[in-house]
Amino acid sequence: MPGRVERLFSDRAGQELRLFGRDLFAGGAAAADGPALGSVGDDYRLGPGDELSLLLRGQAARNSRHRIGADGLLLVDDLRPIAAAGRTLGEVRAELEAAVAATHVQTQAFLSLLSMRRVGILVLGQVAKPGRVALPAFATPLDALLAAGGVLPDGSLRAIRLVPPGGGGGVLVDLYDLLTRGDGAAADLLADGARLIVPPLGPVVAVAGSVKRPGIYELPPGAGSGTGPDDTADLLALAGGALRPGRDRSSLLRLSPEGVERPLPVSAGTPIPLRDGDLLIHAPEGGARAGGVTLSGAVAEPGERVLVAGMRLADLVDRSMLPPDAWLPAAVLLRRTAAGGSPQMRALDLAALLSGREAEMAVDGDRLVVLSAADVGFLRGRSVLSLLAGQPADPLHREECAGLASLAAALSADPEGALAAGPLARAAIGVEGPPLPCPPLFQGTDGDLLPFLLRQSVFMRRGVLRPGPYPLAGPMALSALAPMAGGGFGGKAQVAPGQVADAVGDGVLLSGPVRQPGLRSVGDDGLSLRALLSGAGAPLPDAYGLAALLERTDATASGRRPSLFAPAEVVEGRFDLRLRDGDRVTLFTRDAVMGTETPDPLDPALRALLSERMVALRGGVVRPGEYPVAGPLPLPLLLRAAGGVKPEGDPARLELLPPPPGPRGEGQGDGRGVAPREITGGVAAVEMIPPGAALRVALRQRPQERRGVLLAGEVAEPGTYDIAPGETLSMLLHRAGGLTDEAYPAGVIFTRESARLAEEEGLRRNARELDRQLSQMLGGKNPPDPARVELVRQLAADLRGTTALGRITVEANPDVLGERPELDIPLQPGDRVHMPRRPLTVTVSGEVLAPASLLFDPEKQAKDYLREAGGLTRFADDDRIFVIQPNGAAQPLESGWLDHEVATVLPGSMIVVPRDAEPFEWLPLTQSITTILSQIAFSAAAIAAISD
């Protein structure tokens, strides 16, 4: 992973640069306890901890091992002690042989070093693993650094201080001496107890370009260093010199105290002293052959041609040697200059050369480069556009493509220039080109062609399929250039290199349920909303006709201003609007607008906008409900959206309830207040219905209702029964033969459709309120973070997707109903009655670790069942746990802090643990969140109970 200094210099140089010497530590820590390699000579100086092997041969024969003690003595049986510490192996061997000869007759002694002592070195500072390391006696400072994991990228290689065991000023260790000359203090042996201190990285300079070893080099800590570098000549020599001999055109990029980078010319004769942060870019220029011109690039026969008298550039190329995709608007001529150095680049019109309109003579050393479509296409690729827009390109791609490296260097060398801060750079912002491979033309020594071609380019921005730079030799008709970029232009405008051109405007983007969504051109004659929604843009049958979205760029503020319109009015010719470049028109499906899709596909801000513009259609219409509208709409249009009038509806009797007035009397209400009124003329009336109104179609006759009631479960004769007006539950049970012996009346499940619809409407209302609150907060000064927004959106989706049951708590015990007839509920057509068997379990659901149905025990309390379900999760709201009794009634587990009445848990009960509202406390309706979460938990638990 490159360090911060490496990334900074790499971005400035336009190529990857590494700190010199870091490869020493690329392998991590070295083994600190491995054996020493190589033989040990007689000059090895012994010390405490060295282990010696003594072999006696002769009258006395034995083999023994001896370690030099802390007192420095070598102790051998039958021999006098020998002082070994501080003496060489050869000296101790000679003294030992003399002692053996004096003690034993005809005995030879052989002494060798068996294992070397360990030295302890303390390594501190900018290393991977600072601390004490144990090393062999032959260890050097480099070994100690390797054992400590190596020097960190922000550590110095040149100012390391070695402090001897006795203290003192210490010795400077410069790893550059070891890396460049193979000597220096880094190769000296370490003494036991020494300390190595690695300070932070010091001043650094870098060299890039055509050198043998480009990189970042640390300046020496003091004057007079033999390694350098002190000036640009030393730096070039430290980098291995130029890749090839010849003239050079180096430049030194230096940062001023204000942080501005300025180039300084460099010549070999007058090197410049270096400062911290300097970057030397070197580009040597080799010689060229005389008497020839060269043709290269996208041609069938590239190579050198012999220059003859009177030869023109047009004589170098003809159409037969060009590929079909040759780029005719521009070719590049490279011509030597009298002063030497880099050749001068000039763009030529290749089409003019082929037609004979360009008659320029060829000059010795000329080189003509023909471009292909792939070469030009790379200019609009992602890597080039990213660099132009000020974004870093992929380092791997930049390393393998010399053109990208040259472009990055050119941009960093002149950050205020036309290429880095001009029209093309501004036009590239926000344009993401395709990921294209680097063409061979820009991979070698011709990398400098890329910045030149960009300077010669026109940036095709809008109205084309392939936006980006297109190189030209000079001015060109936009009508001729636009087709090459995948566009069209019918005007007479001219474009020139360095300009930004739009073949057309931004166009109008049409999306949603239409025949052919996509981008439509406004054109010279303009585009209307009615024309947009006709032909290929006609709405599909499932498109919602009462409200669609038009987004238009606000000229006075950033962003887009949304507004609503009715597509049905546009299609019928009652409404139209002139569209502008950049407009976005979005239609929606009926299911998406009416909220029947889960999750909600509409943005919360749009949902909140629609929820404020509702018209309620009730009574004798096919699809009653609340319909979002763009504004006041004709009565017939609204009725068609609701499916028309039902057969039993009365088309002559329509009642309108106007919208309520605003907080201070203003708003959408008409001057007649909010009293309902009859619409004269019925469905044929010419009446505009405003948002917020309620429309009801009267019924000619009471609709024929279903008379059946479903009775299931533990009754003698289950089935569907037609009921008489006023019939009650006890009458129905009597008609069905009464209850079986296993019936459990306390757990009867009684559901009614009207109750289910009311429950679901409450859930949907809460979802709309969540959308409205979220929309207001997103438009405020401190919008919530994305994670919280997603949490609220998911909660709103859960509310819309929750299925209500419509259960009503009733008394079903015939004995009780006989004594208390007031509890006997009258039946309605469509009611469903399920008489369960007596259950033997208690269900625990919601935020518990292991939801389960547990065996009922009259001795257990609710907390016992919760414990058996694994306890509460960390998301549980332990203050709002409730119990659903077998008859469907819900009761808090504890009714209050004053009486602490605990809910009774009967067989068939369900203990529900709702989710904690803490993640939603930032919402203004926090007080309602707990109720909403409890509603979701109650509905889910009730559905589960019915399923069981």
Side-chain angles (χ1 to χ4, degrees), residues 862-884:
K863 62 181 180 180
D864 299 317
Y865 294 109
L866 291 173
R867 188 182 306 109
E868 292 183 17
L872 308 184
T873 69
R874 62 189 181 95
F875 304 108
D877 188 348
D878 55 357
D879 292 331
R880 291 179 174 82
I881 302 174
F882 58 91
V883 178
I884 301 178

Side-chain angles (χ1 to χ4, degrees), residues 91-111:
E91 293 172 348
V92 174
R93 179 185 292 117
E95 184 174 348
L96 183 65
E97 290 175 350
V100 170
T103 305
H104 301 284
V105 178
Q106 296 182 351
T107 300
Q108 289 182 310
F110 302 92
L111 183 68

Side-chain angles (χ1 to χ4, degrees), residues 18-19 162 268 286 299 363 489 551 641 691 814:
R18 301 297 303 275
L19 280 160
L162 174 61
V299 292
V363 177
F489 187 76
E551 296 176 283

